[in-house]
Amino acid sequence: MTRRSRRHRKQRVVITGIGGNLGRAVARRLHRHYEVVGIDRRTVRHMPKDIDIEQVDIRRRRVEDVFRRQDLDAVVHLNIMHDPRTRQDEHHQFNIVGTQKIFELSAENRVPKVIVLSSADVYGPDPRNDQFLTEESALMGGQNFEAIRDLIALDMFCNTFFWRHPEIETVILRPVHIVGSVNNAPSKYLRLEHPPTILGFDPMVQLIHVEDVVTAIEQALTPGIRGVFNIAGPSPVPLSLILKRLGRKPRPLPEPALKMMLKTAWTLKLSDWPVPELDHIKYICMVDDELAREKLGFEHEHDLEAILREVNKEPQPW
Amino acid sequence: MLELVRDRLDNTLVSSIEPEVWERIRSMEAGQNEHGYDPFGFNPESLKYIVPLAVGLYRHYFRVEAYGIDQIPDRGRVLLISNHTGQIPLDGMMIATATLVEKRPPRMARSMMERWVPSIPFISTIFARCGQVVGTRDNARMLLHREGCILVFPEGARGINKTYDRAYELERFGRGFMRLALETKTPIVPVGVVGAEEQMPALYDVKPLAKLLGMPAFPITPTWPFLGPLGALPLPVKYRIYFGAPMEFEGDPDDEDRVVGAKVEQVRDAIRQLLARGLEEREGVFF
């Protein structure tokens, strides 16, 4: 056994954006079986000791050294910014240029696998949507919501790369709303004591536990896996049921009133909710994850109760 | 406080339905998850908001007589194909009510709604909870793969908006339902509705006005619009609903229109026969 492990070195994985809550969760799971190198421009804390961290912006030259210094077996690209308050151009630059850089380096250094975390939000909520969207559905998320456009551009860029570099196994994961001890919009919304809802609308919603997304990423590392995968958790439930289970007291408001309030609050910097995100509590945007269950062998472990228990936990500060 | 009012209302609604009928409906097997919702948002419990009204219309207003309800299989996928008449789609509601209250075990006949319906407040939620589904091809396919029961009116607006001079004539049928049935190997139960044609006999369809108002048709009936909103009420005609024997078809779902059309014609003939039988059996429009 010892001889074998000496002969086969541990596989080496780079995680970009390791400092985020999701990055940390991925790192904690992967470092047991892989040698993990993390890249983040933020200060990274609470990380297992055997993980090398490079604190650098992924657009910088120093990132190239990480790729050249050692043979890499995979890149998990999580360094995608979702901050509606950041200036649009900076946001776009960081996401697109950063991703492009990572892909270029991967191609140059023959990294056999690249995993990118996109989101089911790229399909966008819409009344005309199929109840469950497949991987082939059009990415319509940007029709009303500008801030999602760079995620769509990024997702499509990854698709192009997938075709241009058949020697590299590119995996694009599109999970539904990741909820739990993370700081994204859906988790923050569910943590509100009085979450506003739109009067007369109660869409079906899919949630997924952070750890299940980590599982999907881990499974995507399996050699031979490539392509686009929707990732969904337990079967969908109405938004009202989720809020009821969490013991929240929703404030239903007519849509125009809610829009006006949100617009004002946004302008005064009282809230960080972009108005078009309201569509997520109005229309459905659900995905069919059959492909992931079949090809990746993905299975969600955490049911709705477990996910909702996790929501109430504040994420660790970093 | 609001909760209390709501509970009261819920109890009143439930108690207005016959207990054994309600018990059968709420315990219906429709592919719900552990929280009581199916993937489309259907929740049998929510039917309490619509069943009292629907049963009231069914039993007392239209005094519906349903024949051959057992032609609908107890389980497994099935397409109900019906004629569409009467200016307002109460025929769909009555067919669905028949499958809920007359059939044992009850089945939810699910219909496909227009794509803009989910953007209307309240309606969107109530329709979804009561088993209506946005009319996309993938949704229909998925419903059938989940062994559901779908109600389709292949005549669409052509049928429901036609004027009274063409009563009980069948308009051209769409072919989508047949392609779907062939692809998913779904049996088809033809349904003939007799009586609905007289609930709002349209004398004339003012097309320019309909276009102006963005409606599919603007019918002039003996009472509408001359009696105002009251004139828009359907007449208390007697409904007769006939369910025919299940028909099974085989073939290539992507075949030419001509081939698929011939199969559609068989279903249309079956419905025509059901209508002929109904017209012969009835003794009057209101009795």
Side-chain angles (χ1 to χ4, degrees):
Chain A
M1 195 63 210
T2 29
R3 268 182 63 199
R4 204 170 150 239
S5 55
R6 218 174 282 152
R7 229 183 19 230
H8 296 270
R9 66 168 180 86
K10 266 186 176 177
Q11 293 209 321
R12 211 169 276 142
V13 179
V14 167
I15 303 177
T16 66
I18 198 167
N21 288 297
L22 186 64
R24 191 186 312 116
V26 175
R28 282 191 179 155
R29 182 88 68 86
L30 293 188
H31 85 105
R32 279 174 238 156
H33 307 290
Y34 298 89
E35 239 182 87
V36 175
V37 182
I39 302 177
D40 204 309
R41 62 172 178 178
R42 300 168 285 194
T43 327
V44 178
R45 296 206 194 104
H46 308 289
M47 203 54 77
K49 291 215 165 47
D50 57 345
I51 295 180
D52 288 336
I53 307 285
E54 291 283 341
Q55 195 185 338
V56 61
D57 190 314
I58 47 169
R59 289 167 294 179
R60 292 307 177 105
R61 219 205 65 84
R62 194 142 61 87
V63 176
E64 294 173 19
D65 295 341
V66 177
F67 278 77
R68 288 195 186 125
R69 206 161 40 211
Q70 45 214 346
D71 280 339
L72 295 176
D73 295 293
V75 175
V76 178
H77 182 43
L78 306 176
N79 206 5
I80 296 160
M81 183 160 49
H82 304 274
D83 180 6
R85 278 288 178 200
T86 313
R87 270 193 12 250
Q88 187 80 41
D89 53 345
E90 160 66 10
H91 203 264
H92 208 75
Q93 265 264 334
F94 182 77
N95 285 343
I96 304 288
V97 177
T99 305
Q100 191 181 10
K101 180 99 182 175
I102 292 296
F103 273 112
E104 267 171 21
L105 288 173
S106 305
E108 251 172 56
N109 296 288
R110 315 218 162 166
V111 181
K113 181 165 301 266
V114 181
I115 299 172
V116 182
L117 191 75
S118 178
S119 158
D121 289 354
V122 292
Y123 301 116
D126 194 292
R128 290 158 295 183
N129 272 350
D130 278 328
Q131 198 75 9
F132 294 93
L133 301 157
T134 61
E135 286 82 356
E136 282 86 51
S137 309
L139 310 185
M140 299 295 282
Q143 57 181 346
N144 296 321
F145 187 25
E146 286 168 27
I148 200 87
R149 283 184 197 157
D150 51 342
L151 187 60
I152 295 171
L154 189 149
D155 190 297
M156 288 181 166
F157 176 76
C158 298
N159 265 300
T160 325
F161 184 81
F162 174 83
W163 293 110
R164 266 209 326 242
H165 293 277
E167 78 280 7
I168 297 180
E169 290 174 356
T170 311
V171 183
I172 303 163
L173 299 178
R174 292 182 188 150
V176 295
H177 302 306
I178 305 173
V179 161
S181 54
V182 286
N183 253 329
N184 57 5
S187 302
K188 279 196 253 176
Y189 174 77
L190 293 179
R191 266 182 224 127
L192 295 175
E193 192 50 43
H194 298 284
T197 57
I198 304 180
L199 194 66
F201 290 95
D202 187 13
M204 298 292 280
V205 180
Q206 285 171 315
L207 302 180
I208 189 165
H209 194 280
V210 185
E211 289 300 324
D212 281 332
V213 178
V214 176
T215 306
I217 293 175
E218 209 179 1
Q219 285 166 334
L221 282 168
T222 318
I225 297 289
R226 53 164 63 220
V228 188
F229 297 99
N230 290 335
I231 308 287
S235 60
V237 286
L239 179 65
S240 61
L241 185 129
I242 294 173
L243 296 177
K244 202 171 167 189
R245 288 285 163 90
L246 283 167
R248 306 284 187 250
K249 294 177 194 71
R251 294 274 154 84
L253 288 168
E255 198 190 356
L258 191 55
K259 265 192 175 154
M260 217 170 69
M261 281 170 57
L262 216 54
K263 179 82 180 36
T264 317
W266 171 267
T267 316
L268 295 174
K269 302 205 171 178
L270 293 174
S271 100
D272 281 341
W273 305 100
V275 178
E277 274 201 351
L278 274 183
D279 278 354
H280 275 289
I281 55 171
K282 189 176 177 196
Y283 302 131
I284 52 164
C285 174
M286 298 201 292
V287 299
D288 177 1
D289 66 344
E290 209 181 288
L291 194 70
R293 288 180 192 263
E294 188 188 316
K295 289 266 170 61
L296 280 183
F298 174 75
E299 257 176 70
H300 69 272
E301 239 175 76
H302 298 83
D303 61 359
L304 189 69
E305 303 303 325
I307 295 174
L308 296 186
R309 241 179 286 127
E310 194 78 10
V311 171
N312 284 322
K313 282 191 218 158
E314 282 287 322
Q316 299 169 6
W318 41 267
Chain B
M1 182 60 200
L2 212 65
E3 288 284 299
L4 199 76
V5 175
R6 206 185 158 128
D7 281 349
R8 280 272 173 80
L9 180 73
D10 284 3
N11 288 335
T12 321
L13 285 170
V14 168
S15 60
S16 68
I17 316 169
E18 295 144 74
E20 83 259 36
V21 170
W22 178 238
E23 196 45 47
R24 282 203 299 270
I25 292 176
R26 64 176 294 175
S27 60
M28 168 169 53
E29 181 49 56
Q32 309 94 316
N33 60 13
E34 67 273 29
H35 307 287
Y37 294 86
D38 96 329
F40 292 91
F42 172 48
N43 172 20
E45 190 74 33
S46 301
L47 285 171
K48 64 180 168 230
Y49 298 112
I50 191 83
V51 166
L53 172 72
V55 171
L57 286 175
Y58 186 90
R59 294 249 158 91
H60 307 297
Y61 196 77
F62 294 124
R63 294 145 292 130
V64 181
E65 279 174 24
Y67 301 95
I69 190 91
D70 290 321
Q71 301 283 9
I72 304 173
D74 287 349
R75 54 184 58 80
R77 59 188 75 167
V78 62
L79 276 167
L80 307 182
I81 306 295
S82 169
N83 61 327
H84 203 21
T85 53
Q87 309 303 329
I88 35 181
L90 288 168
D91 46 357
M93 194 179 188
M94 291 304 112
I95 294 172
T97 312
T99 62
L100 279 179
V101 302
E102 306 266 2
K103 178 145 182 67
R104 284 161 217 203
R107 288 202 73 163
M108 184 69 217
R110 316 188 62 164
S111 34
M112 314 298 283
M113 54 191 182
E114 295 283 351
R115 289 174 182 221
W116 42 261
V117 174
S119 54
I120 314 169
F122 299 105
I123 300 286
S124 63
T125 312
I126 293 167
F127 275 27
R129 292 293 167 273
C130 293
Q132 311 297 297
V133 172
V134 178
T136 72
R137 189 178 277 240
D138 274 344
N139 283 351
R141 211 175 273 149
M142 180 172 175
L143 268 178
L144 293 177
H145 280 299
R146 294 178 58 87
E147 309 299 342
C149 167
I150 307 187
L151 172 61
V152 182
F153 298 107
E155 292 172 282
R158 289 188 296 275
I160 192 163
N161 292 327
K162 67 180 183 290
T163 46
Y164 191 67
D165 53 318
R166 284 177 291 149
Y168 298 109
E169 282 172 26
L170 292 174
E171 295 293 311
R172 183 174 63 75
F173 273 33
R175 301 187 191 88
F177 80 91
M178 182 55 75
R179 294 190 191 279
L180 194 65
L182 292 172
E183 185 190 320
T184 55
K185 300 202 167 31
T186 306
I188 288 173
V189 171
V191 184
V193 180
V194 174
E197 200 75 84
E198 285 85 6
Q199 73 184 6
M200 280 186 99
L203 307 172
Y204 193 71
D205 177 10
V206 192
K207 290 220 170 64
L209 197 53
K211 209 168 177 183
L212 196 71
L213 296 174
M215 304 197 309
F218 191 91
I220 303 290
T221 73
T223 55
W224 166 263
F226 307 111
L227 289 185
L230 209 64
L233 286 178
L235 301 174
V237 291
K238 186 171 180 68
Y239 266 53
R240 287 175 174 79
I241 305 178
Y242 294 84
F243 294 89
M247 308 165 81
E248 308 229 7
F249 293 92
E250 267 175 39
D252 179 6
D254 295 322
D255 225 329
E256 279 176 51
D257 277 356
R258 182 176 48 82
V259 183
V260 176
K263 297 187 172 97
V264 171
E265 224 34 52
Q266 290 180 40
V267 179
R268 198 161 163 233
D269 280 338
I271 295 172
R272 195 177 283 132
Q273 281 169 25
L274 291 173
L275 291 179
R277 181 181 148 203
L279 288 171
E280 196 166 304
E281 278 178 17
R282 78 166 174 184
E283 277 146 24
V285 173
F286 297 98
F287 311 102

